[in-house]
Amino acid sequence: MFQKRIVVCLDVKEGRCTKGIKFKDNIDVGDPVGMAAKYYRDGADELVFYDITASHEKRGIMIDVVRKVAEQIFIPFCVGGGISTLDDIKDVILAGAEKVSVNSSAVRNPSLIEEGASLFGSQCIVLGMDAAADPEMPSGYRVFINGGRKAMDLDALAWAKQAESLGAGEIVLNSIDADGMKTGYEINLTKMISESVGIPVVASGGAGKPEHLAEVLKAGSADAALIASMVHFGDYSVGDIKKHLMSQNIPVRL
Amino acid sequence: MIGVVDYKAGNLKSVDSALSHLQGDFFISDDPEKLLKSDKMIFPGVGEALSAMTVLRSSGLGDAVREFAASGKPLLGICLGAQIVFDHSEERDTACLGLIPGKVKRFAPDMGLKVPHMGWNTIEHIDIPLFRGIPQNSSFYFVHSYYIDAEYDDNRAAVCEYGISFTAAAVKNNILACQFHPEKSGEAGLQLIKNFIELY
């Protein structure tokens, strides 16, 4: 049976995980490779690493992290953050990531999706999209770039469809309104985008408890749900979440 | 010694990592002569069928894979490599290697399913050494828009449901093929690769 995915997201700055993270296990909580291994053992279906390194000179550190993760983690993983050229995509893929996520750079230069997909295949190219409710937009949602700081004259639904036609293989859809609130994913936005495109949609932003994942995977028609602080702070384990989803008859990998 | 065929179809880093992790004795090469001397062959691949077949023809690697298969030594095709061991792919109407009878078809867009079939899905497998120690309905990681339709039941080693039931793994004597990515399928996938290393 085809299963819904739980994707665990880690922010990495200059090769170190940035969020304060409480683990019961005796591991280096700042080490992205150790944390990736921990989530792999806990049953995460996929991992996403966001490189939030500010300086361009230090980007090479992330490539080392990707290489080490690829050597130890035998599930798919995606790398995003600061990917702006075909060379950036190539570096990450050749270091062993399955997927690369492009966000602001793809809005500024949509051909990045097309060229990346033709070079490495659609399955490698993920569109990361930050959207917020805006009644002035045709779909009711506007696209933002630069980490949600800059509003664009771009409709979220139109951009999702355009990215699909350019060759994106998946969309990670982050709701700016829900992000950090821990009150649940943005169901309307997720459902609208997921049911309008033929590629998988990963819901992001707003998860605070397992019920939120069940809601977005069912009512929100999401193919996967992204989580971060919910598991980083030790409130829940990936296993706890999957148990709840099973109890709601949502197929997951055990 | 396992020879991993490098025909520039996608990235071999994950196959390399899994074999290293399992301490397999292997090398990665694009040299048909060297590959023919190996004891076992892994034929991976991600990408598109026609360009892959074009490279396989011009490089002589396609003939090497055929010759290796005919020698009776164990061969494992993965993903695009699994599709290419069949007769034909609908992807740009591509004639493939014809080592196992069957066709590779496109998932119909009208089934209401997302294509590619991307993510984890369970399989049901027959009792062959490749699946030793792997429970029925274990999950494997798939990424593909075309699926294998093996012509004969005897060659279906595992089936998977995605709108339709398709061939998730195939076997014909010494030739093995899996549509999913064992190198990205967690412990079940590592067990399968270990079985290929130890039991064939």
Side-chain angles (χ1 to χ4, degrees):
Chain A
M1 186 180 279
F2 189 58
Q3 295 154 329
K4 300 283 188 179
R5 284 172 283 153
I6 306 300
V7 182
V8 178
C9 179
L10 296 160
D11 286 342
V12 182
K13 186 178 183 185
E14 294 174 18
R16 303 284 293 169
C17 287
T18 56
K19 283 181 180 156
I21 291 157
K22 282 191 259 174
F23 277 142
K24 290 181 186 117
D25 313 42
N26 184 24
I27 63 162
D28 176 358
V29 292
D31 170 25
V33 183
M35 288 181 54
K38 148 92 182 157
Y39 287 126
Y40 170 64
R41 288 194 302 273
D42 284 354
D45 298 311
E46 202 165 314
L47 303 172
V48 179
F49 296 90
Y50 275 110
D51 185 6
I52 55 170
T53 303
S55 85
H56 196 77
E57 297 75 52
K58 289 180 176 167
R59 294 244 176 233
I61 299 168
M62 188 63 188
I63 297 302
D64 286 337
V65 170
V66 173
R67 202 170 287 122
K68 283 183 191 135
V69 169
E71 282 162 7
Q72 297 177 33
I73 309 300
F74 302 100
I75 53 172
F77 68 96
C78 176
V79 175
I83 306 282
S84 53
T85 65
L86 271 186
D87 278 343
D88 292 339
I89 294 176
K90 193 173 170 183
D91 288 347
V92 165
I93 296 291
L94 292 184
E98 266 57 52
K99 304 176 184 180
V100 175
S101 142
V102 290
N103 190 323
S104 307
S105 55
V107 172
R108 286 191 288 259
N109 171 26
S111 65
L112 185 63
I113 296 174
E114 196 168 20
E115 289 165 9
S118 73
L119 204 55
F120 296 105
S122 286
Q123 80 287 342
C124 288
I125 308 299
V126 177
L127 174 74
M129 188 202 302
D130 293 317
D134 185 336
E136 285 181 15
M137 302 309 283
S139 74
Y141 294 90
R142 183 189 291 276
V143 174
F144 286 71
I145 63 168
N146 297 349
R149 290 187 298 275
K150 187 175 179 192
M152 302 302 285
D153 185 20
L154 184 60
D155 181 75
L157 180 58
W159 177 225
K161 288 182 174 175
Q162 190 191 345
E164 180 185 19
S165 68
L166 287 168
E170 185 166 76
I171 295 172
V172 174
L173 178 59
N174 186 51
S175 161
I176 295 170
D177 302 319
D179 199 16
M181 303 299 286
K182 296 195 170 198
T183 50
Y185 296 90
E186 232 278 28
I187 302 299
N188 290 333
L189 170 68
T190 310
K191 184 178 163 70
M192 175 183 69
I193 303 279
S194 188
E195 292 182 353
S196 306
V197 296
I199 53 177
V201 170
V202 184
S204 165
K209 53 184 184 175
E211 287 78 2
H212 294 150
L213 284 91
E215 188 187 19
V216 82
L217 293 170
K218 273 191 169 171
S221 301
D223 300 279
L226 187 141
I227 50 174
S229 55
M230 240 182 110
V231 284
H232 293 334
F233 295 106
D235 299 336
Y236 299 95
S237 70
V238 175
D240 295 336
I241 295 168
K242 286 193 164 181
K243 259 182 226 145
H244 176 75
L245 296 178
M246 289 280 284
S247 77
Q248 300 300 304
N249 296 317
I250 296 170
V252 288
R253 178 179 73 109
L254 286 183
Chain B
M1 181 71 91
I2 299 172
V4 179
V5 186
D6 180 7
Y7 59 109
K8 312 302 170 204
N11 181 8
L12 298 177
K13 175 76 183 168
S14 51
V15 172
D16 182 340
S17 295
L19 287 169
S20 302
H21 178 78
L22 294 165
Q23 297 173 325
D25 199 4
F26 74 100
F27 64 96
I28 296 172
S29 175
D30 59 3
D31 178 352
E33 294 300 316
K34 266 175 84 176
L35 288 163
L36 277 168
K37 287 184 190 131
S38 59
D39 308 309
K40 292 176 194 180
M41 182 180 275
I42 291 183
F43 181 46
V46 172
E48 181 266 310
L50 183 60
S51 12
M53 275 308 295
T54 306
V55 174
L56 287 169
R57 276 201 202 92
S58 64
S59 62
L61 286 165
D63 286 338
V65 173
R66 269 204 196 94
E67 194 179 330
F68 190 90
S71 75
K73 292 190 278 190
L75 167 72
L76 174 64
I78 297 174
C79 195
L80 182 62
Q83 297 185 350
I84 282 178
V85 301
F86 284 83
D87 294 322
H88 180 269
S89 173
E90 279 182 6
E91 190 172 20
R92 296 174 76 188
D93 192 18
T94 303
C96 298
L97 295 174
L99 303 176
I100 307 180
K103 289 187 163 54
V104 178
K105 300 173 177 174
R106 170 93 190 172
F107 282 113
D110 56 5
M111 292 191 304
L113 292 166
K114 299 203 168 176
V115 177
H117 171 219
M118 176 155 76
W120 297 82
N121 205 334
T122 55
I123 64 164
E124 282 179 50
H125 58 74
I126 60 169
D127 182 21
I128 54 171
L130 192 65
F131 291 110
R132 195 159 296 168
I134 298 171
Q136 287 295 353
N137 297 310
S138 292
S139 302
F140 287 87
Y141 187 74
F142 290 83
V143 185
H144 59 129
S145 300
Y146 293 78
Y147 65 91
I148 297 167
D149 186 13
E151 190 171 339
Y152 300 110
D153 285 346
D154 289 358
N155 297 136
R156 278 184 206 122
V159 291
C160 177
E161 298 277 342
Y162 192 67
I164 44 138
S165 174
F166 68 88
T167 307
V171 59
K172 190 187 172 205
N173 305 320
N174 57 313
I175 305 163
L176 301 152
C178 42
Q179 176 64 68
F180 49 82
H181 286 273
E183 76 281 12
K184 282 288 153 190
S185 294
E187 298 303 311
L190 290 175
Q191 181 65 49
L192 185 146
I193 298 171
K194 189 165 179 271
N195 290 342
F196 182 69
I197 295 171
E198 292 176 359
L199 305 177
Y200 285 89

